[in-house]
Each structure stands twice: as structure tokens, then as C-alpha cells.
Amino acid sequence: QLQLVESGGGLVQPGESLTLSCAASGVTLDYYDIAWFRQAPGKEREAVSCINDRGSSKYDNSVKGRFTVSRDNAKNTVHLQMNNLKPEDTAVYYCAAALSLCDYSGPSISWGKGTLVTVSS
């Protein structure tokens, strides 16, 4: 039912900003928590941030103060604003959705296909 599509990735220089979007279809996101993950070349997937159904968010320490997650329920979309990008932010970014995902990990998680962010001079 629920499908997620990430967009907004691209090539940027260190210090620049980029905004990613996660658009959902099939099911409204109103009651879903949305998480952002990333996987850098040669590394395992790691959690970046999560925003719950009430709009409260949390972040990994590596992106705190630089990344901001927001949701627009009217557009069934979640955004990840990334500021002051660093080369170590280079990764494929994925969004994931599930009920109570920010608090509990379970089997019923929907994933997008990912969008590539490359930070290089």
C-alpha cells in the first residue's frame, strides 16, 4: 500500500545546503512516523533523524544543528533540510515510514529507493 519516493539529491560543495523530500502515496502519513537513514560507500546504513506523528523530531549526533526534518501532512510529504554539508555526509539517503517508528522498531516498515547526495569540492 504505502509507497515512498525520495528526491532532491545531487552534487554539492562542502558548506552548501540541500533539501531532500520524501513523498508518500497509497496511504496518508498523518499518523506515521518518518525516519531518514543514509548509507555511505563502504559503510552500513545509519539512522539520521526521525519525526513522529506529532511533529517532534530527533537527530543523530553527527547531524545535530545542521539537519532539520519537517513534515507537510497536507502534501503527504516529509523534508530533510541539510545545511553546512560535509564530505562525510555523502551517502544514499532513504526515508522510512511506520507507526511509532521513532519510538519502536518493528517489521512493518516501508522504505523508499533512496536518493544520492554527494558532497565534494
Short mmCIF file of all heavy atoms in Angstrom, two decimals, residues 1 4 6 16 28 35 49 60 73 76 90 115:
data_model
loop_
_atom_site.label_atom_id
_atom_site.label_comp_id
_atom_site.label_asym_id
_atom_site.label_seq_id
_atom_site.Cartn_x
_atom_site.Cartn_y
_atom_site.Cartn_z
N GLN A 1 0.82 -1.21 0.00
CA GLN A 1 0.00 0.00 0.00
C GLN A 1 0.86 1.27 0.00
O GLN A 1 0.85 2.03 -0.96
CB GLN A 1 -0.92 0.00 1.22
CG GLN A 1 -2.21 -0.77 1.02
CD GLN A 1 -3.21 0.04 0.23
OE1 GLN A 1 -3.01 1.22 -0.06
NE2 GLN A 1 -4.31 -0.60 -0.14
N LEU A 4 6.99 5.13 -0.89
CA LEU A 4 7.77 6.32 -0.59
C LEU A 4 8.76 6.57 -1.70
O LEU A 4 9.40 5.63 -2.19
CB LEU A 4 8.52 6.16 0.74
CG LEU A 4 7.68 5.87 1.98
CD1 LEU A 4 8.59 5.58 3.17
CD2 LEU A 4 6.76 7.04 2.29
N GLU A 6 11.97 9.23 -2.58
CA GLU A 6 12.86 10.32 -2.20
C GLU A 6 13.26 11.12 -3.44
O GLU A 6 13.35 10.58 -4.54
CB GLU A 6 14.12 9.79 -1.51
CG GLU A 6 13.87 8.94 -0.28
CD GLU A 6 13.80 7.46 -0.59
OE1 GLU A 6 13.55 7.10 -1.76
OE2 GLU A 6 14.02 6.66 0.35
N GLU A 16 27.60 23.89 1.49
CA GLU A 16 26.34 24.22 0.84
C GLU A 16 25.19 23.46 1.47
O GLU A 16 25.38 22.60 2.33
CB GLU A 16 26.43 23.94 -0.66
CG GLU A 16 27.42 24.84 -1.38
CD GLU A 16 27.46 24.62 -2.88
OE1 GLU A 16 26.99 23.55 -3.35
OE2 GLU A 16 27.94 25.51 -3.60
N THR A 28 -2.13 7.93 3.69
CA THR A 28 -1.79 9.22 4.28
C THR A 28 -0.77 9.03 5.40
O THR A 28 -0.82 8.04 6.14
CB THR A 28 -3.04 9.92 4.82
OG1 THR A 28 -2.67 11.16 5.43
CG2 THR A 28 -3.74 9.05 5.87
N ALA A 35 11.32 8.29 9.31
CA ALA A 35 12.74 8.32 9.63
C ALA A 35 13.57 8.47 8.37
O ALA A 35 13.18 8.03 7.29
CB ALA A 35 13.15 7.04 10.37
N SER A 49 17.66 10.82 11.28
CA SER A 49 16.66 11.58 12.02
C SER A 49 15.33 10.87 11.97
O SER A 49 15.13 9.93 11.19
CB SER A 49 16.52 13.00 11.46
OG SER A 49 15.95 12.97 10.17
N ASP A 60 20.55 12.14 14.86
CA ASP A 60 21.82 11.56 15.22
C ASP A 60 22.80 12.69 15.54
O ASP A 60 22.71 13.78 14.96
CB ASP A 60 22.36 10.69 14.09
CG ASP A 60 23.66 10.00 14.45
OD1 ASP A 60 23.62 8.99 15.17
OD2 ASP A 60 24.72 10.49 14.01
N ASN A 73 1.79 17.39 6.19
CA ASN A 73 0.76 16.36 6.06
C ASN A 73 -0.21 16.65 4.92
O ASN A 73 -0.74 15.73 4.30
CB ASN A 73 0.00 16.20 7.37
CG ASN A 73 0.82 15.52 8.45
OD1 ASN A 73 1.86 14.93 8.17
ND2 ASN A 73 0.36 15.60 9.68
N ASN A 76 1.37 15.26 2.10
CA ASN A 76 1.80 13.89 2.33
C ASN A 76 3.30 13.73 2.05
O ASN A 76 3.74 12.76 1.42
CB ASN A 76 1.00 12.92 1.45
CG ASN A 76 0.61 11.65 2.17
OD1 ASN A 76 0.48 11.63 3.39
ND2 ASN A 76 0.42 10.57 1.42
N THR A 90 28.18 12.41 2.44
CA THR A 90 27.96 11.72 1.18
C THR A 90 27.39 10.33 1.43
O THR A 90 27.98 9.52 2.14
CB THR A 90 29.26 11.61 0.38
OG1 THR A 90 29.71 12.92 0.02
CG2 THR A 90 29.06 10.80 -0.89
N THR A 115 17.93 8.38 -2.51
CA THR A 115 18.43 9.43 -3.38
C THR A 115 19.87 9.74 -2.98
O THR A 115 20.19 9.81 -1.80
CB THR A 115 17.54 10.70 -3.31
OG1 THR A 115 18.01 11.67 -4.25
CG2 THR A 115 17.55 11.31 -1.91
#
